[in-house]
Protein backbone atom coordinates (compact mmCIF):
# COMPACT_ATOMS: atom_id res chain seq x y z
CA UNK A 1 0.00 0.00 0.00
CA UNK A 2 1.19 3.49 -0.90
CA UNK A 3 -0.04 6.04 1.63
CA UNK A 4 -0.18 9.66 0.56
CA UNK A 5 -0.38 12.54 3.04
CA UNK A 6 -1.15 16.10 1.93
CA UNK A 7 -1.53 18.08 5.18
CA UNK A 8 1.15 19.93 7.08
CA UNK A 9 1.88 18.01 10.29
CA UNK A 10 2.16 21.39 12.00
CA UNK A 11 -1.55 21.98 11.33
CA UNK A 12 -3.06 18.50 11.33
CA UNK A 13 -2.56 15.10 12.97
CA UNK A 14 -2.96 13.30 9.64
CA UNK A 15 0.70 12.35 9.27
CA UNK A 16 0.78 10.79 12.75
CA UNK A 17 -2.48 8.97 12.05
CA UNK A 18 -1.15 7.64 8.76
CA UNK A 19 2.12 6.46 10.32
CA UNK A 20 0.11 4.55 12.92
CA UNK A 21 -1.48 2.43 10.17
CA UNK A 22 1.50 1.19 8.16
CA UNK A 23 1.89 -2.52 7.55
CA UNK A 24 4.77 -4.47 6.02
CA UNK A 25 5.72 -3.15 2.60
CA UNK A 26 3.80 0.09 2.99
CA UNK A 27 5.40 3.32 1.83
CA UNK A 28 4.59 6.95 2.55
CA UNK A 29 4.55 9.79 0.03
CA UNK A 30 4.35 13.39 1.23
CA UNK A 31 2.65 15.75 -1.20
CA UNK A 32 1.28 19.32 -1.15
CA UNK A 33 1.56 20.93 2.32
CA UNK A 34 2.72 17.66 3.92
CA UNK A 35 6.21 18.15 2.45
CA UNK A 36 7.03 20.66 5.18
CA UNK A 37 7.04 17.73 7.61
CA UNK A 38 10.06 16.17 5.93
CA UNK A 39 12.54 18.76 7.19
CA UNK A 40 15.29 17.43 9.46
CA UNK A 41 15.49 18.77 13.00
CA UNK A 42 11.72 19.14 13.37
CA UNK A 43 9.26 17.05 15.42
CA UNK A 44 7.53 15.54 12.37
CA UNK A 45 10.96 14.99 10.83
CA UNK A 46 11.84 12.87 13.88
CA UNK A 47 8.65 10.81 13.40
CA UNK A 48 9.60 10.22 9.78
CA UNK A 49 13.17 9.27 10.73
CA UNK A 50 11.67 6.61 13.00
CA UNK A 51 9.32 5.49 10.21
CA UNK A 52 12.27 5.16 7.82
CA UNK A 53 13.59 2.27 9.92
CA UNK A 54 10.79 0.07 8.59
CA UNK A 55 9.33 1.85 5.56
CA UNK A 56 10.26 3.90 2.56
CA UNK A 57 9.34 7.56 2.71
CA UNK A 58 9.10 9.76 -0.37
CA UNK A 59 8.54 13.45 -0.89
CA UNK A 60 7.15 15.12 -3.99
CA UNK A 61 9.95 17.38 -5.28
CA UNK A 62 7.85 19.97 -7.12
CA UNK A 63 5.85 20.57 -3.91
CA UNK A 64 9.10 20.99 -1.94
CA UNK A 65 10.46 23.44 -4.50
CA UNK A 66 7.21 25.41 -4.53
CA UNK A 67 7.62 25.91 -0.79
CA UNK A 68 11.28 26.88 -1.00
CA UNK A 69 12.59 23.78 0.72
CA UNK A 70 15.80 22.34 -0.69
CA UNK A 71 16.23 18.58 -0.77
CA UNK A 72 19.30 18.91 1.43
CA UNK A 73 17.11 19.96 4.37
CA UNK A 74 15.11 16.74 4.33
CA UNK A 75 15.55 13.99 6.87
CA UNK A 76 18.25 11.65 5.58
CA UNK A 77 16.67 8.70 3.85
CA UNK A 78 13.61 10.48 2.50
CA UNK A 79 13.69 10.13 -1.28
CA UNK A 80 12.51 12.94 -3.51
CA UNK A 81 10.40 12.02 -6.54
CA UNK A 82 8.86 14.02 -9.37
CA UNK A 83 5.35 13.38 -10.75
CA UNK A 84 6.70 10.56 -12.93
CA UNK A 85 8.08 9.05 -9.74
CA UNK A 86 4.68 9.50 -8.07
CA UNK A 87 3.11 7.53 -10.94
CA UNK A 88 5.78 4.85 -10.63
CA UNK A 89 5.11 4.49 -6.90
CA UNK A 90 1.38 4.11 -7.61
CA UNK A 91 2.05 1.33 -10.10
CA UNK A 92 4.58 -0.42 -7.85
CA UNK A 93 2.18 -0.68 -4.91
CA UNK A 94 -1.00 -2.73 -5.12
CA UNK A 95 -3.22 0.13 -3.95
CA UNK A 96 -3.12 3.75 -2.84
CA UNK A 97 -4.62 5.24 0.29
CA UNK A 98 -4.94 9.02 0.46
CA UNK A 99 -5.04 10.38 3.99
CA UNK A 100 -7.22 13.43 3.46
CA UNK B 1 -2.50 -8.21 -13.82
CA UNK B 2 -4.39 -5.62 -15.80
CA UNK B 3 -8.11 -4.91 -15.87
CA UNK B 4 -9.60 -5.61 -19.30
CA UNK B 5 -11.33 -3.04 -21.44
CA UNK B 6 -15.05 -2.51 -21.20
CA UNK B 7 -17.32 -4.28 -18.80
CA UNK B 8 -15.76 -6.53 -16.25
CA UNK B 9 -18.60 -8.75 -15.12
CA UNK B 10 -17.78 -11.00 -12.23
CA UNK B 11 -14.95 -8.84 -10.97
CA UNK B 12 -15.25 -8.49 -7.21
CA UNK B 13 -12.87 -6.06 -5.62
CA UNK B 14 -12.38 -5.17 -2.00
CA UNK B 15 -13.54 -1.57 -1.54
CA UNK B 16 -12.78 0.31 1.66
CA UNK B 17 -14.46 3.60 2.45
CA UNK B 18 -12.32 5.46 4.96
CA UNK B 19 -14.18 7.95 7.16
CA UNK B 20 -11.98 10.17 9.29
CA UNK B 21 -14.01 13.35 9.59
CA UNK B 22 -16.78 14.31 11.99
CA UNK B 23 -20.23 14.70 10.46
CA UNK B 24 -21.88 18.08 9.73
CA UNK B 25 -18.77 20.32 9.85
CA UNK B 26 -18.16 19.28 6.25
CA UNK B 27 -20.24 17.35 3.74
CA UNK B 28 -17.73 14.51 3.36
CA UNK B 29 -19.47 12.05 5.70
CA UNK B 30 -22.85 12.45 4.01
CA UNK B 31 -21.54 12.28 0.45
CA UNK B 32 -19.32 9.32 1.36
CA UNK B 33 -22.42 7.50 2.55
CA UNK B 34 -24.08 8.24 -0.79
CA UNK B 35 -21.24 6.50 -2.64
CA UNK B 36 -21.40 3.54 -0.26
CA UNK B 37 -25.10 3.06 -1.01
CA UNK B 38 -24.45 3.18 -4.76
CA UNK B 39 -21.57 0.71 -4.43
CA UNK B 40 -24.03 -1.87 -3.11
CA UNK B 41 -25.51 -2.18 -6.61
CA UNK B 42 -22.15 -3.37 -7.97
CA UNK B 43 -21.84 -6.51 -5.83
CA UNK B 44 -18.41 -5.64 -4.53
CA UNK B 45 -16.76 -6.60 -1.24
CA UNK B 46 -17.44 -3.37 0.63
CA UNK B 47 -16.07 -2.34 4.04
CA UNK B 48 -16.36 0.92 5.94
CA UNK B 49 -13.69 2.21 8.30
CA UNK B 50 -14.42 4.80 10.95
CA UNK B 51 -11.39 6.26 12.67
CA UNK B 52 -10.16 9.54 14.09
CA UNK B 53 -13.07 12.02 14.15
CA UNK B 54 -14.93 9.71 11.74
CA UNK B 55 -16.09 7.70 14.76
CA UNK B 56 -18.57 10.49 15.47
CA UNK B 57 -20.43 9.59 12.26
CA UNK B 58 -21.81 6.36 13.70
CA UNK B 59 -22.52 7.42 17.27
CA UNK B 60 -26.15 7.17 18.35
CA UNK B 61 -27.75 10.40 19.47
CA UNK B 62 -26.49 12.83 16.83
CA UNK B 63 -29.08 15.60 16.58
CA UNK B 64 -28.37 18.34 14.05
CA UNK B 65 -31.81 19.97 14.43
CA UNK B 66 -30.22 22.95 16.17
CA UNK B 67 -27.94 23.67 13.22
CA UNK B 68 -30.67 23.36 10.62
CA UNK B 69 -29.28 20.25 8.96
CA UNK B 70 -30.93 16.94 8.16
CA UNK B 71 -29.99 14.02 10.40
CA UNK B 72 -28.50 11.33 8.17
CA UNK B 73 -27.78 8.83 10.93
CA UNK B 74 -30.83 6.69 9.95
CA UNK B 75 -29.22 6.12 6.54
CA UNK B 76 -26.50 3.99 8.17
CA UNK B 77 -29.27 1.61 9.22
CA UNK B 78 -30.15 1.09 5.56
CA UNK B 79 -26.70 -0.37 4.87
CA UNK B 80 -27.73 -3.72 6.31
CA UNK B 81 -30.55 -3.95 3.74
CA UNK B 82 -27.89 -3.65 1.05
CA UNK B 83 -25.77 -6.39 2.65
CA UNK B 84 -23.11 -3.91 3.69
CA UNK B 85 -22.28 -5.20 7.12
CA UNK B 86 -18.53 -4.74 7.47
CA UNK B 87 -18.36 -1.58 9.53
CA UNK B 88 -15.14 -1.17 11.50
CA UNK B 89 -14.63 1.40 14.25
CA UNK B 90 -11.15 1.94 15.65
CA UNK B 91 -10.85 1.44 19.41
CA UNK B 92 -7.93 3.84 19.89
CA UNK B 93 -9.86 6.61 18.15
CA UNK B 94 -12.76 6.07 20.58
CA UNK B 95 -10.49 6.03 23.63
CA UNK B 96 -8.63 9.17 22.53
CA UNK B 97 -11.98 10.97 22.37
CA UNK B 98 -13.28 9.71 25.67
CA UNK B 99 -15.94 7.59 23.96
CA UNK B 100 -17.18 4.18 25.10
CA UNK B 101 -17.12 1.10 22.89
CA UNK B 102 -20.88 0.97 22.58
CA UNK B 103 -23.68 3.35 21.73
CA UNK B 104 -23.54 3.22 17.95
CA UNK B 105 -26.42 3.86 15.57
CA UNK B 106 -25.79 0.51 13.84
CA UNK B 107 -23.95 -2.70 14.75
CA UNK B 108 -20.21 -2.18 14.23
CA UNK B 109 -17.02 -4.12 14.85
CA UNK B 110 -14.70 -2.31 17.21
CA UNK B 111 -11.15 -3.15 16.17
CA UNK B 112 -7.69 -2.16 17.36
CA UNK B 113 -5.47 0.20 15.37
CA UNK B 114 -3.30 -2.75 14.34
CA UNK B 115 -6.38 -4.62 13.12
CA UNK B 116 -7.55 -1.52 11.25
CA UNK B 117 -4.14 -1.24 9.60
CA UNK B 118 -4.39 -4.88 8.51
CA UNK B 119 -7.89 -4.31 7.11
CA UNK B 120 -6.62 -1.30 5.15
CA UNK B 121 -3.70 -3.27 3.74
CA UNK B 122 -6.01 -5.94 2.32
CA UNK B 123 -8.00 -3.60 0.05
CA UNK B 124 -7.99 -3.21 -3.72
CA UNK B 125 -9.62 0.22 -3.75
CA UNK B 126 -9.46 2.72 -0.91
CA UNK B 127 -11.79 5.69 -1.13
CA UNK B 128 -11.32 8.60 1.24
CA UNK B 129 -13.17 11.88 1.21
CA UNK C 1 -1.74 0.20 -16.53
CA UNK C 2 -5.25 1.64 -16.27
CA UNK C 3 -5.65 4.41 -13.76
CA UNK C 4 -8.74 6.17 -12.41
CA UNK C 5 -8.64 9.45 -10.50
CA UNK C 6 -11.04 10.98 -7.97
CA UNK C 7 -10.96 14.74 -7.38
CA UNK C 8 -12.78 15.90 -4.24
CA UNK C 9 -12.10 19.64 -4.30
CA UNK C 10 -12.82 22.51 -6.62
CA UNK C 11 -10.20 24.47 -8.54
CA UNK C 12 -7.95 27.14 -7.03
CA UNK C 13 -8.80 26.97 -3.30
CA UNK C 14 -7.10 23.62 -2.78
CA UNK C 15 -4.17 22.13 -4.65
CA UNK C 16 -6.10 18.87 -5.16
CA UNK C 17 -7.17 19.54 -8.76
CA UNK C 18 -3.66 20.75 -9.68
CA UNK C 19 -2.04 17.68 -8.12
CA UNK C 20 -4.51 15.40 -9.89
CA UNK C 21 -3.83 17.11 -13.20
CA UNK C 22 -0.03 16.92 -12.88
CA UNK C 23 -0.35 13.28 -11.85
CA UNK C 24 -2.62 12.52 -14.81
CA UNK C 25 -0.24 14.18 -17.28
CA UNK C 26 2.72 12.24 -15.87
CA UNK C 27 0.78 8.96 -16.00
CA UNK C 28 -0.23 9.55 -19.63
CA UNK C 29 3.33 10.51 -20.59
CA UNK C 30 4.55 7.28 -19.01
CA UNK C 31 2.25 5.37 -21.34
CA UNK C 32 -0.48 4.53 -18.84
CA UNK C 33 -4.16 4.99 -19.56
CA UNK C 34 -6.05 7.47 -17.42
CA UNK C 35 -9.49 6.19 -18.26
CA UNK C 36 -11.60 8.42 -16.05
CA UNK C 37 -11.39 11.39 -13.72
CA UNK C 38 -14.39 11.56 -11.43
CA UNK C 39 -15.24 14.89 -9.81
CA UNK C 40 -17.09 14.73 -6.51
CA UNK C 41 -17.98 17.05 -3.60
CA UNK C 42 -16.82 20.60 -4.50
CA UNK C 43 -14.70 18.92 -7.16
CA UNK C 44 -17.68 19.32 -9.49
CA UNK C 45 -16.71 23.00 -9.81
CA UNK C 46 -13.82 21.85 -11.99
CA UNK C 47 -16.46 21.33 -14.66
CA UNK C 48 -17.93 24.83 -14.61
CA UNK C 49 -17.74 26.69 -17.90
CA UNK C 50 -18.33 29.94 -16.02
CA UNK C 51 -14.89 30.18 -14.41
CA UNK C 52 -12.79 33.05 -15.69
CA UNK C 53 -9.41 33.12 -13.98
CA UNK C 54 -6.88 35.88 -14.73
CA UNK C 55 -5.17 35.24 -18.06
CA UNK C 56 -1.72 34.83 -16.56
CA UNK C 57 -2.99 32.11 -14.22
CA UNK C 58 -3.41 28.44 -15.12
CA UNK C 59 -6.74 27.65 -16.78
CA UNK C 60 -7.74 24.67 -14.66
CA UNK C 61 -11.12 23.92 -16.21
CA UNK C 62 -9.91 24.39 -19.77
CA UNK C 63 -6.79 22.29 -19.37
CA UNK C 64 -8.81 19.34 -18.03
CA UNK C 65 -10.97 19.56 -21.14
CA UNK C 66 -7.93 19.70 -23.43
CA UNK C 67 -6.36 16.71 -21.71
CA UNK C 68 -9.61 14.78 -22.15
CA UNK C 69 -9.69 15.59 -25.86
CA UNK C 70 -6.07 14.67 -26.42
CA UNK C 71 -5.99 11.40 -24.50
CA UNK C 72 -9.64 10.28 -24.40
CA UNK C 73 -9.95 10.75 -20.67
CA UNK C 74 -13.54 10.46 -19.47
CA UNK C 75 -14.24 13.50 -17.25
CA UNK C 76 -17.28 12.75 -15.13
CA UNK C 77 -18.98 15.22 -12.83
CA UNK C 78 -21.23 13.65 -10.18
CA UNK C 79 -24.84 14.60 -10.86
CA UNK C 80 -26.02 14.73 -7.24
CA UNK C 81 -23.03 16.78 -6.10
CA UNK C 82 -23.34 19.01 -9.19
CA UNK C 83 -27.02 19.79 -8.65
CA UNK C 84 -26.28 20.77 -5.05
CA UNK C 85 -23.65 23.22 -6.27
CA UNK C 86 -25.23 24.73 -9.34
CA UNK C 87 -23.44 22.79 -12.06
CA UNK C 88 -25.71 21.52 -14.81
CA UNK C 89 -25.61 20.83 -18.56
CA UNK C 90 -26.09 24.54 -19.36
CA UNK C 91 -22.84 25.54 -17.64
CA UNK C 92 -20.84 22.37 -18.10
CA UNK C 93 -17.41 22.95 -19.61
CA UNK C 94 -16.27 21.24 -22.79
CA UNK C 95 -14.90 17.75 -22.34
CA UNK C 96 -16.92 16.99 -19.21
CA UNK C 97 -20.09 14.98 -18.80
CA UNK C 98 -22.53 14.67 -15.91
CA UNK C 99 -23.36 11.22 -14.61
CA UNK C 100 -24.05 9.20 -11.49
CA UNK C 101 -21.92 7.97 -8.62
CA UNK C 102 -21.93 4.53 -10.18
CA UNK C 103 -19.26 5.86 -12.54
CA UNK C 104 -16.93 6.28 -9.57
CA UNK C 105 -17.50 2.75 -8.31
CA UNK C 106 -17.06 1.49 -11.87
CA UNK C 107 -13.75 3.39 -12.10
CA UNK C 108 -12.63 1.50 -9.02
CA UNK C 109 -13.63 -1.84 -10.51
CA UNK C 110 -12.32 -1.37 -14.04
CA UNK C 111 -8.99 0.32 -13.33
CA UNK C 112 -5.83 -1.19 -11.90
CA UNK C 113 -5.46 1.77 -9.56
CA UNK C 114 -7.71 4.51 -8.23
CA UNK C 115 -5.95 7.58 -6.86
CA UNK C 116 -7.79 10.10 -4.70
CA UNK C 117 -6.97 13.81 -4.50
CA UNK C 118 -8.74 16.00 -1.98
CA UNK C 119 -8.32 18.13 1.09
Amino acid sequence: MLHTVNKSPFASATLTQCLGHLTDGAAVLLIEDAVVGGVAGTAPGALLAECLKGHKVYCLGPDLMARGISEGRLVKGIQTVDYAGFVRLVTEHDAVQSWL
Amino acid sequence: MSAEDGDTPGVIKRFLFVNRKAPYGTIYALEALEVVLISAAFDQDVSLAFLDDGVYQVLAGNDPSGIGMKNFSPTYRALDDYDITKLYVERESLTERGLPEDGFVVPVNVVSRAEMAAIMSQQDVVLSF
Amino acid sequence: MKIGILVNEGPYTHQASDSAYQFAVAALKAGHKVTRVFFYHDGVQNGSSLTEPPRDDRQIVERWGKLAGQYEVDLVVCVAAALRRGIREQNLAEGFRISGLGQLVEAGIQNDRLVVFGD
Side-chain angles (χ1 to χ4, degrees), chain B:
Chain B
M1 199 165 66
S2 182
E4 296 302 316
D5 284 327
D7 280 340
T8 45
V11 172
I12 297 179
K13 285 194 176 182
R14 286 160 296 188
F15 273 72
L16 179 68
F17 293 89
V18 178
N19 301 284
R20 296 181 47 249
K21 292 168 183 165
Y24 303 110
T26 54
I27 199 169
Y28 301 109
L30 171 62
E31 288 190 331
L33 191 52
E34 290 179 354
V35 188
V36 173
L37 291 170
I38 296 290
S39 74
F42 287 80
D43 295 324
Q44 300 296 299
D45 183 357
V46 174
S47 301
L48 276 69
F50 297 91
L51 61 154
D52 303 322
D53 285 341
V55 298
Y56 283 100
Q57 294 180 24
V58 281
L59 292 187
N62 289 356
D63 178 10
S65 60
I67 55 171
M69 292 195 204
K70 187 182 159 190
N71 190 343
F72 60 88
S73 290
T75 312
Y76 291 102
R77 289 191 211 113
L79 294 175
D80 189 51
D81 299 335
Y82 292 99
D83 290 325
I84 295 173
T85 53
K86 290 193 256 184
L87 279 66
Y88 301 100
V89 175
E90 187 178 274
R91 179 172 296 119
E92 284 83 345
S93 297
L94 292 171
T95 310
E96 285 161 6
R97 286 159 183 78
L99 297 168
E101 290 184 25
D102 53 18
F104 300 103
V105 71
V106 280
V108 300
N109 303 300
V110 176
V111 297
S112 70
R113 184 160 289 166
E115 287 167 326
M116 185 64 93
I119 290 163
M120 288 171 169
S121 73
Q122 291 155 9
Q123 305 300 319
D124 298 312
V125 181
V126 182
L127 286 163
S128 29
F129 303 101

Side-chain angles (χ1 to χ4, degrees), chain C residues 8-51:
Chain C
N8 288 338
E9 299 298 334
Y12 302 106
T13 302
H14 296 281
Q15 202 187 334
S17 180
D18 291 280
S19 297
Y21 177 81
Q22 301 297 346
F23 177 84
V25 169
L28 291 163
K29 279 186 180 162
H32 300 295
K33 275 188 184 175
V34 176
T35 60
R36 180 173 294 158
V37 182
F38 191 88
F39 298 90
Y40 196 35
H41 307 294
D42 282 358
V44 298
Q45 299 290 352
N46 284 283
S48 169
S49 65
L50 300 175
T51 59

